[in-house]
Amino acid sequence: MNILVINSGSSSLKYQLFKMPNQSPICSGLVERIGIEGAFIKHTSFKGGEKSVTEKSGSISDHAEGLRQVLFMLIDGKDAVIDSPDDIAAVGHRVVHGGEHFTGPTLITADVKAQIKKLFSLAPLHNPVNLNCIEVAEKTFPNSKQIAVFDTAFHQTIPVEAFRYAIPDQYYRQDGIRVYGFHGTSHKYVSEQAIKWLNKKQSKLISIHLGNGCSITAIKNGRSIDTSMGFGPLSGLVMGTRSGDIDPSVIFHLIEHAGYSLSQLSTLFNKQSGLLGVGGSSDMRDIRKLASDGNDEAILALTLYAYRIKKFIGAYAAILNGIDAIIFTAGVGENDSAMRAAVCSELDYLGLSLNADKNSSYTGGIMDVSADDAKTRILVIPTNEEYEIALQCYAMQG
């Protein structure tokens, strides 16, 4: 069964085609800079175990045009992998915000699209694009099932004491203001991999997703019970350009004493803060280089980044009443051994002890990088959101 997974951003579109239940994709691709000068598409096929890459640049006006380009690559390009759109049994769509309506993968209907539209205000950069791609895919693959997989769904098991804010009840009841959490597809995937690896269904895990966006989740017996991102994806850890947790009084101060508008504040905390605001770049690799050259701001950025993660590990160890394992995943989590070491230092009271050689030699796959005698395991597990989406779509086929 062929399942196409579409993961759309505000100006990008990632896709992978799986012949389920095989984990290795038949092909994958990326459409970048949609609606921006210098747009391009990169399509990689793996037919017969041979990797072949096609790249194409030019104008891509919108996501509809981007999906038309994807269809061409799938069917007519030199690295074509299917004969017609009808070869696709289902199209799985990553949708960022599902509110409280959706707790699992959902067959897309007119009512589901209406619900996604109602949530535009909660994810203004993502849900409109996600809905647009769904509607384009319905036309592009008219005989395929369209299935939505929501980033927020995994966190719908969070208990009320963790998801409610201490503000008047009406703001939750009428306006839906609560913790929703994000990166749920990633946290779900890596936690399930950890449970299998540990062979322990009754488990206490802390999953740490470190990319340009960062979040940390407490997972008990496979269920999310708390997470660092809240009503939106700004709160919690220090990120590439987002501040993470900040005292709301700072916002009031900037409005009252510096004349900031809401738009300026949104830009400041979402796009100008985090590693970029403190250390001068949103890319951890750049921060590492600056720090190695003795740049004090970059060194501080690394210290803040690790400190905030450790702070959440301590908090989540408390609500879990212990930890069986912590999981590092995503771009920084998988590739920055020095950050893993910084996070795990001086956490021996939680049974965490890193094996320096294993940690520095990690090259991929699931790996335990903790000391042999450590009570708590430290796992590095590559995330695979696209395959997780495909798995959930495949499970719906009966």
Side-chain angles (χ1 to χ4, degrees):
M1 174 183 291
N2 290 330
I3 295 178
L4 177 66
V5 175
I6 295 174
N7 186 344
S8 54
S10 57
S11 62
S12 65
L13 191 157
K14 293 191 291 184
Y15 63 92
Q16 289 194 42
L17 178 61
F18 295 91
K19 188 174 181 63
M20 296 300 291
N22 296 329
Q23 184 169 356
S24 299
I26 299 170
C27 71
S28 64
L30 174 66
V31 186
E32 280 275 37
R33 300 180 64 83
I34 296 172
I36 306 170
E37 186 178 350
F40 69 91
I41 180 170
K42 181 178 181 180
H43 174 85
T44 305
S45 98
F46 304 97
K47 288 188 301 183
E50 295 293 325
K51 179 178 177 180
S52 180
V53 178
T54 301
E55 296 186 6
K56 182 180 178 182
S57 59
S59 174
I60 301 177
S61 57
D62 54 26
H63 286 74
E65 175 59 26
L67 263 183
R68 283 192 288 270
Q69 295 282 351
V70 170
L71 182 60
F72 173 82
M73 292 291 187
L74 293 174
I75 296 174
D76 296 317
K78 74 178 182 67
D79 292 313
V81 291
I82 58 175
D83 296 322
S84 80
D86 291 344
D87 290 341
I88 304 295
V91 181
H93 298 267
R94 176 198 176 220
V95 180
V96 167
H97 217 304
E100 292 184 318
H101 303 283
F102 303 107
T103 60
T106 304
L107 186 66
I108 295 169
T109 63
D111 181 61
V112 170
K113 290 191 289 183
Q115 293 289 353
I116 292 171
K117 192 170 185 178
K118 285 181 181 179
L119 295 165
F120 277 9
S121 63
L122 300 186
L125 295 180
H126 295 92
N127 268 37
V129 172
N130 299 152
L131 180 58
N132 181 32
C133 280
I134 287 168
E135 292 178 334
V136 172
E138 287 175 329
K139 297 175 183 176
T140 308
F141 304 96
N143 296 318
S144 306
K145 291 182 180 178
Q146 307 291 327
I147 298 169
V149 176
F150 297 89
D151 263 9
T152 49
F154 180 61
H155 300 301
Q156 285 300 298
T157 54
I158 292 176
V160 63
E161 64 269 23
F163 77 67
R164 282 290 299 272
Y165 293 114
I167 58 177
D169 183 72
Q170 69 191 67
Y171 295 100
Y172 168 61
R173 301 296 174 189
Q174 297 175 17
D175 302 309
I177 296 175
R178 54 157 287 176
V179 169
Y180 289 103
F182 300 91
H183 293 146
T185 306
S186 175
H187 289 299
K188 182 177 187 295
Y189 177 79
V190 297
S191 63
E192 288 175 348
Q193 295 299 305
I195 288 168
K196 289 177 185 176
W197 192 92
L198 293 166
N199 193 25
K200 192 171 187 179
K201 290 184 178 180
Q202 305 299 307
S203 57
K204 300 173 182 179
L205 306 174
I206 296 177
S207 171
I208 310 168
H209 179 109
L210 303 177
N212 188 51
C214 302
S215 64
I216 181 169
T217 297
I219 302 166
K220 186 174 183 179
N221 304 334
R223 295 160 62 89
S224 172
I225 64 167
D226 206 348
T227 193
S228 58
M229 286 181 169
F231 181 68
L234 178 60
S235 63
L237 304 180
V238 175
M239 307 180 216
T241 63
R242 298 177 209 154
S243 63
D245 282 350
I246 191 165
D247 183 349
S249 298
V250 174
I251 297 171
F252 306 148
H253 176 84
L254 291 173
I255 292 172
E256 293 172 6
H257 300 286
Y260 273 64
S261 68
L262 293 178
S263 176
Q264 287 174 314
L265 288 168
S266 178
T267 299
L268 170 63
F269 293 121
N270 280 294
K271 298 181 179 179
Q272 298 174 343
S273 298
L275 291 177
L276 175 64
V278 178
S281 173
S282 62
D283 192 308
M284 182 63 81
R285 292 164 294 190
D286 295 338
I287 295 292
R288 283 280 174 212
K289 186 176 186 308
L290 288 167
S292 68
D293 292 338
N295 183 289
D296 290 338
E297 288 77 14
I299 293 170
L300 175 60
L302 292 172
T303 303
L304 286 175
Y305 191 96
Y307 177 83
R308 188 74 60 83
I309 298 167
K310 293 176 75 164
K311 192 172 172 181
F312 270 92
I313 289 174
Y316 287 172
I319 65 167
L320 286 165
N321 191 24
I323 319 170
D324 292 309
I326 66 171
I327 306 162
F328 287 96
T329 193
V332 175
E334 295 168 30
N335 296 304
D336 194 321
S337 60
M339 183 53 65
R340 294 194 296 266
V343 169
C344 294
S345 67
E346 298 182 345
L347 288 179
D348 49 290
Y349 79 101
L350 292 176
L352 289 162
S353 179
L354 199 70
N355 181 307
D357 290 337
K358 288 181 181 178
N359 183 49
S360 62
S361 63
Y362 174 78
T363 57
I366 300 177
M367 186 172 178
D368 183 345
V369 296
S370 51
D372 291 342
D373 60 351
K375 294 180 180 179
T376 304
R377 311 322 296 169
I378 303 168
L379 306 177
V380 186
I381 303 179
T383 192
N384 194 337
E385 292 171 282
E386 285 77 17
Y387 182 63
E388 175 61 33
I389 292 170
L391 273 176
Q392 293 189 41
C393 294
Y394 185 60
M396 289 185 69
Q397 309 309 305

